[in-house]
Structures are given as structure tokens and as C-alpha cells.
């Protein structure tokens, strides 16, 4: 009970629980959309999804300041690629939160004379760019680990053994490609924090892609991807060792 209390006492923890519930509602609405006997339930789920979305906007007030502080830290990283990717990602996330805060102010009547559609599109643009930079960091980190492991003598022996023991795969797949996939899977297995962050960012990417019209998905895909990324977020928040750093 204590870990749960500690988790829910954090605004980030509450946001991730609400986010998981929001996308679970979205997925359920999609799955029940053609069930005429569940129209009332679908209406309630849609209403709950809207309420959770509005509640999360309130919880995100002040997150822009946190992102600015994160950008100040990442700009001091010694690795140039990480410094670029993470600083740009944090700046983009700051702009996303600012747009999100303005939209919240519009929804509660604090601001009236703004183009809601334009601000919404801008928020998703910044969110999309932030995710792209985070994914770029993930790819860079994966390649770094893969390069290091490929130079390890013991790992080379394991990879050669894998190719020798699976000749039928080598006949179908180019040996170099099979070796690359083996190296990639072994890298992700040995670095679960990197694997989880990559999956989370890929799942999240479907949301702005759909909103910006770059890749149209349905409510089921968005709900499923949002739910998976939210659950990963909850896991990494409760298990710090699974959280990628920096």
C-alpha cells in the first residue's frame, strides 16, 4: 500500500494513471462502437474520456517550468548527440506545455480570443518533434551499445554460434541482416530501460501523427498505443531502474 500511496501522491503518477484510464476508455469505445446494446455504456465512456483529458490538462499546469529546468541540465551533457537530442526535445516539450496550458485556459473561459484549432495543431507539432528527438536519442543509444557489444570477443562467439546453429535462417535471411537482428535483440534484452523507452516513444508517436494528419489511424490504434505507453510510463515511474537516463 505504501508504494501505491507514494506513487499517487506525485502529480506525474496521477497523470499517468489518468492517461492510462483515458486511453483505455478510448479503446473500449472503439471496440464497442458497433454494439447497439452498449450505446449507453459507450456514451458514458466517451464522457469519462473527455473528463479525464480535461483533468490531465489541469495536472500539467507548471510542467513547462520543469521542462525548462530539464533543458538546462541536458545542455550541459558532454555527449554532443545526447545534448542536441535531449535539449531540443525538452525545449519542444516546453512549447507543447505552453500551448496545452493556453488551451486549458480557453476551455475554462480565462482566455477567449484565440484560435483553438491553431493552438491545438501547434501543441501536437511540438509534441511530435519532442518524440522524434527522444526516438533519435534512443536510436543513438542503441547503436552505441550495439557497437560496443560487437567488439566484445565473447559476444562475437555467441553470434557466430547463433548463425551456425540456425543455417535455415541464414538461407532465407541475409547472414549480415540476421547477425544485426541478433545483436539488436540481445542489446534490447540487456538494456530493458532502453527497450521500454523506445516502445513507449514509438507508441506515443501514433497520437500526433494522427492529429496532424500525417498518418491516419483509428480510435482503436490510438487507444491501444496510448494505453501501452501509459502503462510503460507507470512501470518506469514505480521502478526507477527501468527509467532511461539521462
Amino acid at each position: 500500500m505504501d508504494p501505491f500511496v507514494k506513487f499517487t501522491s506525485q502529480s506525474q503518477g496521477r497523470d499517468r494513471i489518468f492517461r492510462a484510464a483515458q486511453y483505455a476508455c478510448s479503446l473500449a469505445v472503439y471496440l464497442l462502437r458497433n454494439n447497439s446494446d452498449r450505446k449507453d455504456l459507450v456514451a458514458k465512456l466517451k464522457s469519462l474520456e473527455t473528463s479525464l483529458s480535461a483533468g490531465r490538462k489541469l495536472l500539467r499546469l507548471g510542467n513547462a517550468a520543469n521542462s525548462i529546468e530539464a533543458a538546462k541540465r541536458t545542455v550541459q551533457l558532454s555527449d554532443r548527440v545526447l545534448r542536441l537530442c535531449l535539449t531540443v526535445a525538452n525545449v519542444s516539450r516546453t512549447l507543447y506545455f505552453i500551448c496545452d496550458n493556453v488551451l486549458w485556459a480557453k476551455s475554462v473561459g480565462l482566455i477567449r480570443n484565440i484560435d483553438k484549432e491553431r493552438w491545438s495543431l501547434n501543441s501536437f507539432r511540438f509534441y511530435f518533434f519532442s518524440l522524434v528527438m527522444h526516438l533519435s536519442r534512443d536510436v543513438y543509444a542503441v547503436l552505441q551499445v550495439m557497437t560496443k557489444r560487437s567488439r566484445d570477443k565473447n559476444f562475437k562467439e555467441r553470434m557466430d554460434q547463433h548463425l551456425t546453429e540456425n543455417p535455415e535462417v541464414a538461407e532465407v535471411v541475409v547472414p549480415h541482416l540476421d547477425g544485426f537482428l541478433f545483436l539488436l535483440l540481445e542489446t534490447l534484452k540487456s538494456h530493458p530501460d532502453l527497450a521500454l523507452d523506445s516502445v513507449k516513444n514509438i507508441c506515443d508517436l501514433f497520437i500526433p501523427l494522427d492529429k496532424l494528419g500525417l498518418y491516419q489511424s483509428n480510435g482503436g490504434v490510438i487507444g491501444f498505443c496510448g494505453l501501452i505507453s501509459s502503462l510503460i510510463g507507470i512501470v518506469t515511474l514505480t521502478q526507477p531502474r527501468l527509467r532511461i537516463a539521462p
Side-chain angles (χ1 to χ4, degrees), residues 40-238:
D40 290 341
L41 176 59
V42 169
K44 291 178 180 178
L45 288 172
K46 286 182 177 180
S47 177
L48 178 58
E49 180 186 355
T50 301
S51 298
L52 288 169
S53 177
R56 289 184 59 232
K57 286 185 182 295
L58 180 61
L59 289 175
R60 289 197 294 267
L61 290 176
N63 279 6
N66 294 335
S67 294
I68 291 174
E69 289 301 316
K72 289 180 180 179
R73 292 192 297 271
T74 56
V75 79
Q76 298 175 10
L77 293 173
S78 58
D79 189 301
R80 293 180 180 180
V81 177
L82 287 179
R83 182 167 68 238
L84 174 64
C85 291
L86 293 178
T87 301
V88 173
N90 284 320
V91 170
S92 299
R93 199 163 178 80
T94 299
L95 296 172
Y96 160 71
F97 283 130
I98 290 173
C99 292
D100 189 65
N101 294 162
V102 170
L103 289 170
W104 173 82
K106 167 69 174 177
S107 68
V108 297
L110 294 177
I111 301 177
R112 295 183 180 179
N113 299 321
I114 67 165
D115 188 340
K116 182 178 178 180
E117 186 65 24
R118 181 182 176 185
W119 279 87
S120 180
L121 284 174
N122 283 335
S123 72
F124 282 112
R125 288 190 184 106
F126 291 129
Y127 182 39
F128 171 74
F129 198 52
S130 174
L131 289 173
V132 169
M133 298 311 294
H134 275 295
L135 271 174
S136 299
R137 183 274 304 270
D138 290 336
V139 171
Y140 173 69
V142 168
L143 291 176
Q144 274 194 318
V145 176
M146 289 176 67
T147 301
K148 185 177 179 180
R149 290 178 71 88
S150 65
R151 294 171 180 168
D152 183 81
K153 184 178 179 180
N154 292 331
F155 185 79
K156 281 184 178 180
E157 293 176 354
R158 287 179 56 199
M159 186 161 64
D160 291 339
Q161 183 181 1
H162 165 75
L163 293 174
T164 304
E165 292 177 350
N166 296 276
E168 69 283 354
V169 176
E171 291 177 2
V172 179
V173 185
V174 179
H176 291 297
L177 177 59
D178 184 36
F180 173 81
L181 293 175
F182 177 76
L183 178 58
L184 175 61
L185 290 175
E186 287 296 314
T187 296
L188 294 177
K189 283 181 183 178
S190 62
H191 292 76
D193 56 338
L194 188 53
L196 287 174
D197 194 68
S198 300
V199 173
K200 178 181 178 297
N201 288 326
I202 291 172
C203 287
D204 280 336
L205 199 60
F206 282 92
I207 299 170
L209 283 175
D210 180 71
K211 296 295 183 180
L212 295 172
L214 299 175
Y215 181 82
Q216 294 291 337
S217 303
N218 56 49
V221 172
I222 298 300
F224 177 77
C225 289
L227 178 59
I228 294 299
S229 67
S230 300
L231 293 176
I232 291 175
I234 291 173
V235 170
T236 55
L237 193 59
T238 56

